[in-house]
Amino acid sequence: LRAVAGELAGAAEAIDYFPSYEIITHPVFRGMFFAPNMRAVVPEGVATVMKHFFEDQFRVFGEVVQSASSKPGKKGKVRSESDVMCEEELLNAFAK
């Protein structure tokens, strides 16, 4: 998947790749970003990835100016807790 992502990013200027998977799975972290099931990522892992993502975006694009259409209060699709639970059950079903 990483090779395909890199190929696509190299082929089109509008496509970029951020190594979130590589940050989470890097050996230096010794699995500390995984929950005990070794599949889910703990909040500290998400925070680390997002910190690096936003620092990288700021480095490349500068300060972000929020548009009127992206201001709080606009409705968007939000995953419910039941959606997450269903996904976990699906993954568990295939693990057997």
Side-chain angles (χ1 to χ4, degrees), residues 7-80:
E7 199 172 304
L8 289 171
E13 193 172 313
I15 299 174
D16 199 2
Y17 178 77
F18 181 77
S20 56
Y21 175 80
E22 288 82 356
I23 292 171
I24 295 296
T25 61
H26 197 282
V28 75
F29 295 117
R30 301 176 189 254
M32 69 184 268
F33 293 140
F34 286 103
N37 68 8
M38 295 304 291
R39 187 173 61 228
V41 176
V42 296
E44 294 82 6
V46 175
T48 298
V49 166
M50 295 311 296
K51 174 184 166 285
H52 288 289
F53 176 79
F54 287 120
E55 285 174 356
D56 191 50
Q57 294 299 297
F58 179 75
R59 180 185 56 78
V60 173
F61 299 109
E63 188 172 352
V64 175
V65 177
Q66 194 174 33
S67 70
S69 63
S70 65
K71 288 190 177 174
K74 296 287 179 187
K75 291 189 177 197
K77 182 164 172 65
V78 176
R79 292 181 71 176
S80 70

